[in-house]
Amino acid sequence: METLEEAERELTVEEIRDRIREYVKQASDAQVYISAFYDYFKWQSVNAGPEYKNASDYLCRHIPGLTREELSWYENSSKGFMLNIRLYYGLKSLRALRNYAKAAKITVPSPDPSNTVVQVPQPDGTTVDKPFWRCSLNEVQRAARVKRKPPLKTRAPVSDMVRWLYLGDSLNRHFKDVAPVRIDMRQENGMALVTVRDVPMAEMERLIKALRAGMDEQPFALKDENRNAA
């Protein structure tokens, strides 16, 4: 086998590129065969001996550098796919497709996922539907990342936060030494939703007075906005 120095002297850029491509393919095929032999070994692991917990325990003890996490990755990436499908696409692409399917809430056809539609993000923010067999690994990974992003939340107007502060201040004054009344606010779909907590039933009139006072103390701009909204 030639040394790296010999390769640097004798190989062209294109030849080095092709050599790296071949090694990448060999590494991908190696992952597939490990997954296949691991599947088979699990059926035979009953003969491994009582001192081993399971198949992964046996293999990790006897193969230096192999971890349970890696075996789990091989197993989860290849599950449900025939050997020829694993070799054709590689475990990385199949794992990326599984991640995309989970994020997109779709089912990956088994044993052949080739025609699974992937919504591939474009630079302009749009998406293009492509069958899995036409997608690169990068495209499937990007599609999964976009699907995992939570939808953008519409924030409530800042003026609603100001109103909430005025109401809270008024409640604190009116219920001081009476009851630990609280007023909470959360945002949902661009609206500010207010919840008043722990008001004694006997103090409902005090609550109404406190809320009215809090509304009256707001700046005129907020009062006008309230009237316009109504």
Side-chain angles (χ1 to χ4, degrees):
M1 182 176 180
E2 63 187 351
T3 65
L4 182 59
E5 291 77 11
E6 291 171 337
E8 289 175 342
R9 286 198 307 269
E10 298 176 4
L11 298 180
T12 65
V13 170
E14 290 77 13
E15 289 171 330
I16 295 173
R17 176 202 62 199
D18 293 340
R19 185 69 61 86
I20 293 175
R21 179 187 292 126
E22 180 61 27
Y23 286 139
V24 170
K25 179 66 168 60
Q26 290 176 13
S28 176
D29 289 351
Q31 290 181 334
V32 170
Y33 283 116
I34 290 173
S35 73
F37 277 109
Y38 182 48
D39 286 343
Y40 180 72
F41 183 79
K42 284 186 296 182
W43 291 95
Q44 302 292 329
S45 60
V46 292
N47 301 318
E51 68 271 27
Y52 301 106
K53 298 178 182 178
N54 47 42
S56 62
D57 182 43
Y58 178 92
L59 292 174
C60 290
R61 289 203 210 179
H62 288 271
I63 303 176
L66 184 65
T67 67
R68 291 173 177 79
E69 290 75 16
E70 288 174 321
L71 288 173
S72 178
W73 185 89
Y74 293 135
E75 181 177 24
N76 292 331
S77 301
S78 61
K79 188 180 299 181
F81 300 122
M82 300 295 290
L83 181 61
N84 63 323
I85 294 295
R86 301 183 202 181
L87 288 170
Y88 185 80
Y89 289 108
L91 294 191
K92 287 184 178 179
S93 289
L94 292 173
R95 182 58 177 259
L97 180 62
R98 286 195 188 280
N99 291 337
Y100 172 80
K102 182 178 179 180
K105 296 180 173 59
I106 63 173
T107 300
V108 177
S110 178
D112 188 354
S114 299
N115 291 317
T116 304
V117 176
V118 179
Q119 294 181 326
V120 180
Q122 303 299 301
D124 62 359
T126 62
T127 60
V128 172
D129 289 353
K130 295 176 65 175
F132 174 57
W133 67 268
R134 289 187 55 205
C135 296
S136 67
L137 171 61
N138 180 264
E139 287 177 327
V140 180
Q141 290 175 331
R142 285 192 289 113
R145 285 196 297 269
V146 169
K147 287 292 184 182
R148 281 196 297 264
K149 285 184 179 178
L152 294 176
K153 295 182 178 180
T154 306
R155 297 182 63 83
V158 175
S159 56
D160 286 345
M161 174 66 75
V162 177
R163 293 191 186 97
W164 173 67
L165 293 174
Y166 274 97
L167 291 172
D169 183 64
S170 180
L171 283 171
N172 288 335
R173 293 198 313 272
H174 282 76
F175 282 89
K176 184 178 180 181
D177 301 325
V178 176
V181 175
R182 295 163 43 203
I183 180 169
D184 299 326
M185 187 184 78
R186 62 186 176 86
Q187 299 188 34
E188 186 174 300
N189 298 325
M191 292 189 300
L193 304 180
V194 174
T195 303
V196 180
R197 302 176 183 272
D198 303 326
V199 180
M201 183 62 71
E203 302 294 342
M204 297 306 293
E205 290 188 8
R206 187 188 298 268
L207 172 64
I208 295 173
K209 290 180 181 179
L211 293 175
R212 174 51 59 192
M215 296 295 293
D216 291 341
E217 292 165 1
Q218 294 175 14
F220 286 109
L222 291 181
K223 293 179 183 179
D224 290 340
E225 189 173 325
N226 277 331
R227 284 194 290 270
N228 293 334

